[in-house]
């Protein structure tokens, strides 16, 4: 049964107090937390609302920052936004292509998993697990169905930037490789994220970073589980979520 106390502790401690705890243990911490301000979902939602995708994501990230401050989470050392790092992303994609791990198909760039033998090491998945048409949609422009987009050619109604492969925007996975390399260097200690990101997101991140720069490495991956409501994952799509603001108000009400 969900009580305000257990939502509070799981939400707050698991993810956002971790850096505070490391500092308490006397580690010097450089904490980088990303803002994804451009991706398929943001574009779709912005088009639905007739709003600019960047103003939409700015609105949500401002709310997020004020909620975090309310929870007394220390701010990260850096909070990079994807749209401010297109140059770094393009440079990294060029390196991956130069190192033979990516190919261009009419304005899109795909990572070639067949040219990266370590693919699957983090998640323990084998490439055969991703048979075409099952978990991965068939796309005959890809050499292997598990190949993933590093750069997506511009489509109508989508924001775009210039690149050596034509106008387009970054694929979802590359942002984390490019921004972590920028602020933490090619190798760093701890990478966090939700357990639902282990595959494919973090697997792809490792592949991109190592294909761009072979001595890139991450010492520890730390994955948090989901907050559950009556045995079900709390999620936007299920509509069973409670906002931080609502919880904060539950805490205030007994005081009043
Ligand atoms: C940070 O990056 C992850 C992986 O790309 C993404 O799922 C998450 O939404 C991003 N966080 C924010 C606050 O945008």
């Amino acid at each position: 049964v969900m009580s305000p106390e257990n939502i509070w502790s799981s939400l707050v401690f698991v993810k956002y107090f971790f850096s505070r705890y490391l500092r308490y243990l006397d580690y010097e911490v450089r904490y980088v937390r990303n803002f994804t301000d451009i991706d398929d979902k943001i574009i779709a939602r912005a088009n639905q609302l007739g709003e600019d995708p960047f103003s939409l994501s700015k609105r949500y990230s401002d709310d997020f920052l004020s909620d975090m401050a309310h929870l007394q989470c220390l701010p990260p050392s850096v909070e990079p936004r994807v749209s401010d790092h297109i140059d770094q992303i393009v440079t990294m994609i060029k390196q991956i292509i130069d190192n033979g791990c990516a190919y261009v198909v009419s304005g899109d760039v795909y990572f070639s998993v067949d040219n990266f033998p370590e693919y699957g090491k983090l998640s323990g998945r084998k490439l055969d697990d991703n048979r075409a048409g099952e978990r991965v949609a068939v796309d005959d422009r890809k050499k292997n169905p598990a190949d993933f987009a590093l750069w997506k050619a511009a489509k109508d109604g989508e924001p775009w930037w210039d690149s050596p492969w034509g106008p387009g925007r970054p694929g979802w996975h590359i942002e984390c490789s490019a921004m972590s390399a920028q602020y933490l260097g090619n190798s760093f200690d701890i990478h966090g994220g939700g357990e639902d990101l282990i595959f494919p997101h973090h697997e792809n991140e490792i592949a991109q970073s190592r294909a761009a720069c072979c001595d890139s490495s991450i010492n520890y991956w730390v994955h948090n589980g989901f907050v559950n409501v009556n045995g079900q994952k709390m999620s936007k799509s299920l509509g069973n979520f409670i906002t931080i603001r609502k919880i904060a108000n539950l805490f205030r009400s007994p005081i009043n």
Side-chain angles (χ1 to χ4, degrees):
V1 178
M2 189 177 54
S3 68
E5 288 80 5
N6 72 36
I7 311 172
W8 180 270
S9 57
S10 43
L11 267 181
V12 174
F13 181 74
V14 172
K15 218 160 182 179
Y16 299 112
F17 275 0
F18 193 45
S19 68
R20 195 191 274 273
Y21 183 61
L22 291 172
R23 287 190 179 105
Y24 162 80
L25 296 177
D26 263 351
Y27 286 102
E28 207 180 292
V29 179
R30 182 165 170 80
Y31 173 23
V32 180
R33 184 174 66 198
N34 64 297
F35 278 120
T36 302
D37 61 352
I38 193 76
D39 72 5
D40 294 348
K41 283 187 189 162
I42 295 170
I43 293 171
R45 184 82 182 126
N47 287 345
Q48 225 174 35
L49 296 173
E51 191 176 355
D52 172 67
F54 300 109
S55 90
L56 176 90
S57 38
K58 175 87 170 54
R59 202 147 45 76
Y60 280 103
S61 56
D62 287 349
D63 282 354
F64 172 79
L65 288 175
S66 77
D67 286 358
M68 287 301 119
H70 188 95
L71 295 178
Q72 302 187 33
C73 292
L74 294 175
S77 326
V78 203
E79 299 185 289
R81 285 168 202 269
V82 178
S83 60
D84 294 329
H85 296 81
I86 303 298
D87 288 349
Q88 286 87 340
I89 289 172
V90 166
T91 303
M92 186 169 252
I93 297 174
K94 278 193 216 156
Q95 288 165 339
I96 299 173
I97 295 175
D98 289 347
N99 292 338
C101 288
Y103 54 94
V104 185
V105 188
S106 51
D108 292 330
V109 183
Y110 289 106
F111 188 93
S112 174
V113 295
D114 290 325
N115 294 4
F116 185 75
E118 293 168 36
Y119 194 77
K121 230 169 140 184
L122 177 74
S123 61
R125 296 217 189 187
K126 300 199 176 61
L127 278 174
D128 299 346
D129 289 350
N130 312 303
R131 285 204 303 274
E134 291 179 16
R135 288 194 204 113
V136 182
V138 182
D139 178 348
D140 53 19
R141 300 177 324 147
K142 292 190 196 175
K143 293 182 183 165
N144 181 316
D147 290 351
F148 54 90
L150 299 176
W151 187 259
K152 298 180 168 197
K155 293 198 197 80
D156 277 350
E158 293 190 352
W160 55 269
W161 292 266
D162 277 321
S163 84
W165 319 287
R169 64 183 170 93
W172 173 40
H173 309 292
I174 190 71
E175 61 184 62
C176 297
S177 293
M179 297 195 302
S180 62
Q182 169 86 13
Y183 295 104
L184 296 168
N186 292 319
S187 295
F188 55 93
D189 289 313
I190 303 171
H191 193 310
E195 66 182 359
D196 53 335
L197 294 180
I198 296 174
F199 189 89
H201 188 62
H202 292 155
E203 194 74 69
N204 293 355
E205 185 177 340
I206 295 172
Q208 296 161 155
S209 299
R210 290 182 63 79
C213 172
C214 61
D215 67 2
S216 139
S217 73
I218 292 163
N219 291 336
Y220 297 98
W221 285 87
V222 178
H223 291 104
N224 61 275
F226 302 126
V227 177
N228 289 321
V229 187
N230 301 326
Q232 254 185 331
K233 172 185 167 186
M234 187 193 286
S235 75
K236 218 155 58 181
S237 51
L238 290 173
N240 60 353
F241 61 86
I242 302 180
T243 60
I244 289 172
R245 274 159 206 219
K246 213 162 167 190
I247 297 169
N249 288 336
L250 289 181
F251 271 86
R252 257 185 243 125
S253 42
I255 301 168
N256 290 337

